[in-house]
Amino acid sequence: MGNSPIFSLFSLLLLLQFLSEVSSSFTPNDHYLINCGSSSIIDSDNRKFLGDESHLSDSFHLSASRSISLTDVSSSAELYKSARIFTKPSKYAFKIKEKGAHLVRLHFHRFDSSKFDISDAQFHVLAGGYLLLNDFSGLTMKETEIKEYILWVDSDKLVISFKPSYESKFGFVNAIEVISAPKDLILNTAQSDGFPKDGFETMFRVNVGGFKVTPFNDSLWRTWVTDDEFLESIQESKEVHFGGRIKYQNGGASREVAPDNVYNSARVIRSSISGIAKYELKWSFPIIDGHKYLVRTHFCDIASAALDLLYFNVHINGQIAMENLDLSTLTGSLASPFYADSVVNGGNGVITVSIRSSNLSSTSGVDALLNGIEVFKMSNSMDSFDGMISPKSFMRRCRGGNISFLVPLVAAVGLLVAASVVLRKRLMGVNDSVAWSRLPVDVSEVSLKSTYQ
């Protein structure tokens, strides 16, 4: 009983620490969670997704006069039990309170419906001046696909447009997220023209040496997968897990950059007794050529016994990205996170990230360490993530499709009229002077007027 005041004081300190961390957590100014094709509010990962049918307001608007609410979707997840079907071009408009980088997530889930065949779905998606998806097909998609983008929004409105392809019967979407990103999520730390005004598509988000992180455990509601399928070799490596407190610092990585569960686990290379191990750990990520990629590597020294013992090299695509990386000098503390961004050209269909020992490594302890990897596809020079076509050209192509269809149609009508006149002349025995070569000219003029009206 005599220790109860001390215990109470200790509990109070822990509570105050917890409350300070909670109070400093990120609260986005723009935060839209839309349950598409439904009037219901759905809880997913402790978040409320509002139905797009009954929660329209000045801040959010759905313009889809030819859309259909599909609620017979068979799915174990509540969020994917409904979908918005677009048989004509349609759009969602979101009022933006804070200009800057925004997270945009589009949720797609395969469905089995008596009304719509998923194999007939093929459509395009545009948002904020970017072409996100070009001819996205329900026939080739996975069971569930979440497309995540970081888009720079300079206006007071973000419009997300869905346009069925010419050959398609419809497009669809199950859920949409629009969230203003924290200011330290994308910084001007990588060498790229126009950075950070480029758009980014999340390709891979990996918790190295740790467990899968779900949106429930991430302040930006992200998913971090394990590195098992990307790691080429685990020779002389070891997974390390940390039970202490991660020391976030002002100016360093925050919980919004990556959560505790990424920084409190790592994969390391340990030195051998006989000397410095010359092993390499390498991860490979399949990518699409023709784009630049932002590669973000996360570090937090949770394995060293003391400061100034860990030095190592980081290679990306076989080229050295960071030589003699010294986390002690960068952070001044153990268990303090740091991240680095590198921009590389996508080539040979793969991006590799590797860590190796340095000549400055000690003969005992840890030779190299890595906590997390993210790979983002960057929008190309045409503001597209999917093909060499700009959003403006895409819109012109869509509008031009109707004209290009009318021209041969009108020409065919003109030929039919001309043929009918010739046939009538022959049947009635009228001479050439009465045939009038003027009639086909009149038809041509009508054709021109019809084409350009």
Side-chain angles (χ1 to χ4, degrees):
M1 296 296 291
N3 292 332
S4 59
I6 297 177
F7 178 78
S8 299
L9 178 60
F10 179 70
S11 301
L12 178 60
L13 289 175
L14 287 179
L15 178 60
L16 290 175
Q17 176 184 323
F18 173 76
L19 291 176
S20 65
E21 291 176 355
V22 171
S23 63
S24 62
S25 62
F26 175 64
T27 302
N29 287 328
D30 298 314
H31 195 189
Y32 296 98
L33 306 177
I34 307 302
N35 180 25
C36 300
S38 174
S39 59
S40 303
I41 299 177
I42 296 298
D43 186 274
S44 177
D45 294 313
N46 205 29
R47 294 187 293 162
K48 303 295 184 182
F49 282 76
L50 306 182
D52 64 0
E53 286 192 334
S54 61
H55 294 87
L56 305 182
S57 65
D58 293 337
S59 298
F60 159 70
H61 180 67
L62 168 63
S63 176
S65 57
R66 295 292 299 275
S67 72
I68 300 169
S69 173
L70 181 64
T71 56
D72 62 346
V73 180
S74 57
S75 171
S76 58
E78 285 295 323
L79 187 60
Y80 301 139
K81 288 186 179 296
S82 65
R84 174 67 59 184
I85 304 294
F86 307 103
T87 58
K88 295 293 182 180
S90 306
K91 61 186 179 182
Y92 290 87
F94 301 89
K95 184 177 180 180
I96 299 301
K97 301 176 184 177
E98 180 183 14
K99 297 179 181 180
H102 282 67
L103 283 165
V104 175
R105 295 191 185 102
L106 307 175
H107 296 248
F108 304 100
H109 181 80
R110 292 182 65 88
F111 57 81
D112 184 12
S113 170
S114 58
K115 300 177 183 178
F116 296 93
D117 186 347
I118 187 68
S119 63
D120 290 334
Q122 186 172 334
F123 54 99
H124 321 286
V125 183
L126 300 92
Y130 298 91
L131 177 61
L132 306 186
L133 296 170
N134 184 17
D135 284 329
F136 182 73
S137 174
L139 181 63
T140 58
M141 68 173 287
K142 302 174 183 177
E143 182 70 15
T144 302
E145 291 199 26
I146 302 175
K147 300 290 186 178
E148 180 187 276
Y149 304 87
I150 304 175
L151 306 181
W152 197 267
V153 182
D154 284 325
S155 66
D156 58 1
K157 183 171 64 173
L158 175 65
V159 176
I160 302 178
S161 301
F162 295 83
K163 299 181 180 297
S165 301
Y166 178 72
E167 301 84 359
S168 170
K169 295 181 179 179
F170 66 92
F172 73 98
V173 64
N174 296 86
I176 299 175
E177 301 176 52
V178 175
I179 304 168
S180 51
K183 297 186 183 301
D184 61 346
L185 185 64
I186 294 293
L187 295 176
N188 191 11
T189 55
Q191 300 300 316
S192 171
D193 294 336
F195 196 95
K197 294 299 181 68
D198 298 288
F200 303 87
E201 179 184 358
T202 304
M203 306 300 293
F204 303 98
R205 183 173 284 124
V206 177
N207 185 19
V208 174
F211 303 103
K212 179 179 179 179
V213 180
T214 65
F216 183 81
N217 295 312
D218 186 291
S219 59
L220 289 183
W221 308 282
R222 297 163 295 194
T223 297
W224 301 72
V225 300
T226 63
D227 67 335
D228 297 338
E229 66 176 291
F230 308 106
L231 185 62
E232 291 193 358
S233 173
I234 58 174
Q235 58 181 356
E236 298 300 319
S237 74
K238 183 179 180 180
E239 293 182 8
V240 175
H241 299 273
F242 182 63
R245 180 187 176 192
I246 300 300
K247 302 172 186 176
Y248 295 94
Q249 300 184 36
N250 292 333
S254 67
R255 281 188 174 85
E256 282 65 58
V257 172
D260 286 11
N261 288 335
V262 170
Y263 290 126
N264 63 20
S265 62
R267 199 177 289 276
V268 304
I269 301 175
R270 290 194 179 275
S271 299
S272 62
I273 298 176
S274 59
I276 300 173
K278 297 298 182 182
Y279 295 111
E280 173 190 53
L281 282 178
K282 183 164 71 173
W283 296 261
S284 297
F285 302 92
I287 50 91
I288 300 172
D289 294 341
H291 285 264
K292 289 184 177 180
Y293 289 82
L294 174 68
V295 180
R296 175 168 290 180
T297 44
H298 297 266
F299 309 93
C300 187
D301 190 355
I302 58 174
S304 295
L307 291 172
D308 303 318
L309 295 179
L310 175 62
Y311 301 86
F312 60 99
N313 299 328
V314 180
H315 294 251
I316 298 178
N317 282 352
Q319 303 296 317
I320 191 160
M322 286 168 280
E323 187 173 17
N324 299 324
L325 180 60
D326 176 12
L327 296 177
S328 296
T329 299
L330 291 170
T331 64
S333 172
L334 296 177
S336 182
F338 167 80
Y339 72 94
D341 289 336
S342 302
V343 172
V344 299
N345 289 315
N348 302 319
V350 65
I351 285 178
T352 61
V353 177
S354 61
I355 55 174
R356 306 175 187 175
S357 59
S358 162
N359 292 330
L360 300 179
S361 298
S362 64
T363 56
S364 62
V366 178
D367 276 347
L369 169 148
L370 185 61
N371 302 75
I373 305 173
E374 293 178 274
V375 179
F376 302 92
K377 181 199 293 184
M378 301 175 67
S379 57
N380 59 26
S381 58
M382 296 184 176
D383 293 328
S384 172
F385 293 96
D386 196 359
M388 294 302 294
I389 178 172
S390 69
K392 292 181 180 179
S393 299
F394 179 85
M395 296 300 294
R396 287 196 297 267
R397 186 182 71 177
C398 289
R399 290 193 296 267
N402 295 331
I403 295 177
S404 61
F405 174 72
L406 285 174
V407 170
L409 177 63
V410 173
V413 172
L415 290 175
L416 287 175
V417 172
S420 66
V421 170
V422 172
L423 180 62
R424 183 182 180 189
K425 177 191 70 174
R426 290 180 179 178
L427 291 175
M428 297 182 66
V430 182
N431 58 31
D432 289 344
S433 61
V434 181
W436 253 106
S437 62
R438 177 70 180 171
L439 181 59
V441 175
D442 289 340
V443 172
S444 178
E445 290 175 352
V446 172
S447 299
L448 288 173
K449 290 179 181 179
S450 300
T451 302
Y452 290 99
Q453 284 181 348

